[in-house]
Amino acid sequence: MLTASVRTLAVCLVAMAVGGLAASPAAAAQASRGVRFEASDGTELQTTVTGRAPLKARPVIVEFSPYGRGSGTIDAGPRFNYLLVQIRGTGDSDGRFDALGPRTQADVAQTLRWACRQPWSNGTLGINGFSASAITIYNSLHLTLPCVKAAVLKSGTFELYRDLLIPGGINNLVPGAGVLALIGTPALLQSPDRIGRDPGTGLDTLAGLVDAGLSDVEHPTLDSWWRQRGFRGDVNHLPTLTIDGFFDVESRGAFQGYQRLRRDGSHLVVIGAHDGAPAGTDAGAGQMKAWFEHYLSGAHNGVAQEPRVQMWMSDGDREDLLAGKFVRRDASDWPVPGTRWRSLSLDPARSGSAHSLNDGSLSLQPDGPRTTQAYAALPSLPTNSDPPNTAIVGGFGVNALTTALPVLSDMTVAETLGLSYTSAPLTRRVDAVGPATLDLRLSTTAPQTGIWVVISDVSPNGTPHPVATGRLSTDYPGVDGRRSLKDVRSGRIVQPYGRYDAPDPATPGQSRLYSVELWPIGNRFSAGHRIRVHVLGASLASAPGLPAINTVTVGGGSGSRLLLPELPGSDLRHALRPR
């Protein structure tokens, strides 16, 4: 039985699906044709090809969707045809849904080979993906994708376990349930056609959805099942435009995807996806169209010469970003070349600026002696502590509500139940862009607890606005140093690649050092603002843990510190010096 919060999210997500995630091709005279494709195992998939009438050979943009008919997410103009493929076990396609695993990946390669030879194709294909349809492609890049010349992947996970469903080893409950609702509802609505053809497909569809829903129970660790549902290499070398937002629920995936595909001429545009785009922008639609026009039709539009990385950053607050107050920065790569990670120690000295249990400080050099500070690991309000999950439903009235009642989206309420560490007011602006890490020495009274971390931009009036989030289960202290990102200057790990293959529980009361990965931050901390780190109970959007008292060790060389990225031109060290 879904909880009330899960049901609310599911309703919103389903409304996205049945209402259409984006416009269909917009030419006045359209032709559309439903075609059944038979995979190598005999399973039939429902596909729909659409384009300007008459439906003749053109470059084809293909999208693989689990959200049923009418769920295509791009309109790049009338010079293209569009093929929507409903993934097996979803919508009106037969077979058993395998959570975007090996069978679906094989379908991708086989369907593309078939589409390349159809009379409405000129032999040139492009791939478009948003969210689940982008995940499908990331998961399939280790297979040869025939006739494909370029891809646009908006949001989507690079590793399904790590980037969306169980980040930091903590079950991301509400989004997982919402995704299943998104997939299950179109499958239910289209079931009469499917069952009319073959009554047995109904059981296959139901069994596949049930298996997917139980995946976190059957596979709580990052095992081979999850590894089959993540990036496993690339043999295609496609120029790929990756698009996402800094507050997106799947933002980590786009950054990781770009890094692995950048040698093939890929670009990264951080403008928004599930989290919404700033007012006055087109959410990247123009660049998506130009990308396909250039790589599929040979248009000399200059898109390949644009900066490799383009970013629309927040200027202190997500709501202000959506309203059109943002900072634009371009770069030649990600992380931005020249980025420096500054170490800020968690200091027991009172900052005099917060309403937390401790009101600690964030210092370049800790002033206080080594000590411990405790908090109760109580669930936190998602609209406060969990901007990525809140942003999913932002367009369905939540953004308007939090704008009208800012206390619902800032950390004023949530911080009272946790610990906080705040810098002195900045004497000059600091652009913090890149992955961040909190190294935290912590013990807990429970066999397992979730460590939840938020970075806030504290405005001069004292209001803390969340701008980055990280999480980690105490069952997973291990870090794979070989796959972690290190600062080239210091050699320190600045983006830990956590190990989630096997739990390593701490004895209750045992203090250990944990490296908590915060997903990429992109925010300008203006002069007069402060930087604050909150340590508190996990978001209510995550699976609940056991009641616990967590104790953090700070000061006196404890190792508890924030590694915050700063762009070239920023200098946090000078910004924290007294005037």
Side-chain angles (χ1 to χ4, degrees):
M1 189 74 176
L2 295 178
T3 65
S5 59
V6 173
R7 287 197 301 269
T8 300
L9 177 62
V11 168
C12 293
L13 291 172
V14 171
M16 285 172 55
V18 299
L21 292 170
S24 58
Q30 291 291 298
S32 183
R33 182 185 307 163
V35 186
R36 303 287 294 177
F37 166 71
E38 185 175 328
S40 60
D41 65 349
T43 299
E44 289 192 351
L45 309 183
Q46 179 63 45
T47 79
T48 305
V49 59
T50 306
R52 186 178 74 246
L55 201 57
K56 60 183 182 180
R58 300 185 182 98
V60 181
I61 298 175
V62 187
E63 184 162 0
F64 294 85
S65 173
Y67 301 135
R69 65 173 68 97
S71 58
T73 63
I74 189 169
D75 175 6
R79 68 174 64 187
F80 303 103
N81 291 333
Y82 303 83
L83 181 68
L84 178 69
V85 183
Q86 297 180 40
I87 291 170
R88 68 168 54 216
T90 72
D92 193 22
S93 287
D94 300 338
R96 182 168 177 151
F97 181 60
D98 73 341
L100 313 184
R103 185 57 256 185
T104 294
Q105 296 158 25
D107 290 343
V108 169
Q110 292 173 18
T111 307
L112 292 171
R113 184 174 295 108
W114 164 79
C116 187
R117 300 193 297 261
Q118 298 308 299
W120 32 262
S121 168
N122 70 352
T124 298
L125 306 180
I127 291 177
N128 179 66
F130 177 32
S131 195
S133 49
I135 297 170
T136 304
I137 302 307
Y138 279 127
N139 292 0
S140 303
L141 287 174
H142 62 288
L143 303 176
T144 300
L145 306 183
C147 303
V148 179
K149 305 302 181 185
V152 171
L153 301 179
K154 189 171 186 177
S155 193
T157 65
F158 190 69
E159 300 175 80
L160 188 57
Y161 181 103
R162 192 180 297 266
D163 298 344
L164 176 64
L165 294 182
I166 315 184
I170 297 176
N171 192 314
N172 207 10
L173 182 65
V174 170
V179 168
L180 280 180
L182 262 175
I183 296 171
T185 298
L188 178 63
L189 294 175
Q190 295 178 229
S191 61
D193 290 340
R194 187 174 59 253
I195 293 173
R197 288 191 313 272
D198 182 359
T201 62
L203 291 176
D204 271 348
T205 300
L206 179 61
L209 291 172
V210 169
D211 280 351
L214 295 175
S215 59
D216 55 336
V217 176
E218 297 173 345
H219 306 278
T221 61
L222 208 170
D223 59 12
S224 61
W225 189 90
W226 287 109
R227 290 190 181 93
Q228 290 178 330
R229 288 154 178 82
F231 180 84
R232 288 187 283 162
D234 176 30
V235 299
N236 297 279
H237 306 296
L238 306 173
T240 301
L241 177 63
T242 55
I243 301 178
D244 216 329
F246 282 111
F247 293 96
D248 189 79
V249 71
E250 297 173 310
S251 69
R252 184 184 183 278
F255 292 97
Q256 299 301 113
Y258 163 77
Q259 287 179 286
R260 291 299 296 268
L261 304 175
R262 58 187 167 191
R263 294 182 180 177
D264 302 318
S266 298
H267 286 197
L268 172 66
V269 175
V270 192
I271 191 171
H274 300 94
D275 51 336
T281 71
D282 67 354
Q287 284 160 304
M288 294 166 66
K289 179 180 179 182
W291 196 263
F292 283 128
E293 287 177 338
H294 174 68
Y295 285 105
L296 304 191
S297 297
H300 299 290
N301 54 20
V303 70
Q305 284 71 50
E306 290 183 352
R308 295 284 297 274
V309 176
Q310 301 173 54
M311 299 174 290
W312 281 253
M313 300 159 39
S314 57
D315 192 0
D317 183 36
R318 185 178 81 89
E319 283 70 27
D320 287 346
L321 169 70
L322 293 176
K325 181 186 177 185
F326 53 81
V327 177
R328 275 285 287 115
R329 293 292 296 259
D330 294 336
S332 60
D333 205 357
W334 177 271
V336 176
T339 297
R340 183 189 299 271
W341 278 264
R342 291 293 185 186
S343 178
L344 293 169
S345 296
L346 274 56
D347 190 330
R350 292 181 62 83
S351 75
S353 65
H355 302 287
S356 63
L357 297 172
N358 67 322
D359 183 26
S361 296
L362 201 59
S363 310
L364 290 169
Q365 295 294 332
D367 295 327
R370 185 166 177 149
T371 189
T372 59
Q373 298 175 328
Y375 68 98
L378 300 173
S380 57
L381 185 65
T383 56
N384 291 177
S385 64
D386 198 352
N389 279 331
T390 302
I392 303 174
V393 293
F396 297 93
V398 175
N399 287 341
L401 181 62
T402 56
T403 299
L405 299 171
V407 73
L408 292 178
S409 62
D410 64 46
M411 289 292 293
T412 302
V413 173
E415 77 175 8
T416 61
L417 298 178
L419 306 178
S420 70
Y421 303 88
T422 312
S423 74
L426 302 176
T427 60
R428 61 184 71 183
R429 76 185 189 200
V430 172
D431 289 346
V433 181
T437 300
L438 182 69
D439 291 331
L440 192 67
R441 191 168 296 280
L442 178 142
S443 65
T444 179
T445 59
Q448 180 277 334
T449 191
I451 304 171
W452 200 270
V453 178
V454 177
I455 297 177
S456 285
D457 183 317
V458 184
S459 58
N461 68 3
T463 303
H465 303 278
V467 293
T469 307
R471 69 205 85 183
L472 181 65
S473 165
T474 55
D475 274 352
Y476 300 105
V479 172
D480 185 338
R482 184 180 60 85
R483 302 186 68 176
S484 297
L485 177 67
K486 298 179 181 178
D487 182 3
V488 294
R489 290 183 175 89
S490 65
R492 296 177 301 194
I493 291 176
V494 294
Q495 185 182 14
Y497 193 84
R499 297 191 59 178
Y500 307 117
D501 51 328
D504 179 17
T507 302
Q510 176 189 0
S511 182
R512 299 196 297 193
L513 191 63
Y514 296 91
S515 292
V516 183
E517 177 187 7
L518 287 98
W519 287 359
I521 182 175
N523 183 69
R524 169 167 290 173
F525 293 88
S526 297
H529 289 223
R530 298 172 184 254
I531 301 168
R532 180 172 296 165
V533 172
H534 310 261
V535 182
L536 66 164
S539 162
L540 270 170
S542 299
L546 295 174
I549 300 296
N550 294 345
T551 301
V552 173
T553 303
V554 296
S558 64
S560 293
R561 64 179 181 177
L562 173 69
L563 291 170
L564 187 72
E566 60 179 26
L567 287 187
S570 296
D571 192 334
L572 184 58
R573 186 175 49 187
H574 285 87
L576 288 176
R577 286 180 178 173
R579 291 182 184 276

